[in-house]
Amino acid sequence: MTFKPGSLIEVAAQASAVLERAGIKVAVVGGSAITSYVPNVYTSKDIDFAAINGTTRRAFTAALQPLGFSPQGRDFVHPNSQFTLDLVADTPYVDQRPITKFQTLDTRFGPVRVYLFEDAIADRIAAFLHWADSESLDVAERAIQAHAQKPSWRRISQTLRKLDSSDPQAARRLNVALKRLKAAYNCR
């Protein structure tokens, strides 16, 4: 397969295709998942992948070589891509909760699996809960406002309530996040 430059989701689709041929099923996770849904809200410069059924870095490296990506430190780079690739987990998780359902997005280079929108939002909110990363809350808020299809508030809220908020600071931040995201949802 010859690599063709494109958007984040198009590069992810090309990488997913070569990984699938090598028997490695992956999903786009982290900030890259948000970019997949609302590229004008947040642009990740690295594409975070999680292997659905596990893999090794060696297998991941070998599978990406025909596409022209090579390891450089933790990332995989291509001379014609503005995006780097990263194998961030050997299985997909949001806040220690395994993720087993994904959205398949179609691109001109074929399909690519991505966190469900609600899980992508929860991933950003987990960063806010545990590390006080206010930028992640801002991104989640803007993503809810900008998503082309109105997401289900009930599903977003249920997914957020699965996050670990046992720490008092995390519980307080979860309440802040729920209020801000609900307000963003209502402003659509």
Side-chain angles (χ1 to χ4, degrees):
M1 176 178 213
T2 303
F3 176 77
K4 305 244 187 319
S7 67
L8 178 138
I9 196 67
E10 291 171 336
V11 172
Q14 291 175 78
S16 293
V18 297
L19 291 163
E20 286 272 341
R21 281 198 285 281
I24 303 169
K25 293 172 81 170
V26 295
V28 175
V29 300
S32 310
I34 292 287
T35 301
S36 299
Y37 287 105
V38 286
N40 295 333
V41 166
Y42 177 75
T43 303
S44 179
K45 290 298 180 186
D46 66 329
I47 302 171
D48 298 327
F49 284 110
I52 293 172
N53 297 323
T55 192
T56 65
R57 184 164 173 85
R58 179 175 292 170
F60 194 79
T61 301
L64 289 173
Q65 282 180 335
L67 195 57
F69 279 89
S70 58
Q72 186 176 65
R74 179 183 165 91
D75 295 326
F76 293 82
V77 299
H78 191 287
N80 299 324
S81 178
Q82 64 177 323
F83 302 104
T84 60
L85 310 179
D86 190 5
L87 178 64
V88 296
D90 59 358
T91 52
Y93 283 89
V94 170
D95 196 33
Q96 305 304 314
R97 180 176 55 88
I99 303 299
T100 57
K101 293 181 182 175
F102 304 93
Q103 176 73 41
T104 300
L105 301 178
D106 292 317
T107 75
R108 65 185 173 127
F109 297 109
V112 61
R113 277 182 217 86
V114 179
Y115 273 163
L116 296 174
F117 183 72
E118 297 82 6
D119 289 325
I121 293 294
D123 183 70
R124 297 295 85 196
I125 297 305
F128 175 64
L129 296 187
H130 304 302
W131 303 302
D133 182 354
S134 61
E135 181 186 357
S136 289
L137 174 58
D138 294 342
V139 166
E141 188 175 40
R142 290 191 318 266
I144 285 174
Q145 289 175 323
H147 195 287
Q149 302 165 350
K150 187 169 185 174
S152 162
W153 174 253
R154 184 179 62 76
R155 286 181 27 202
I156 291 170
S157 176
Q158 286 174 342
T159 303
L160 293 177
R161 292 181 192 286
K162 293 177 185 176
L163 296 172
D164 178 10
S165 60
S166 57
D167 176 78
Q169 290 278 17
R172 185 185 61 71
R173 287 187 193 116
L174 180 58
N175 285 331
V176 167
L178 284 166
K179 286 177 186 169
R180 281 188 49 187
L181 296 180
K182 179 68 174 179
Y185 181 84
N186 288 335
C187 287
R188 287 181 52 90

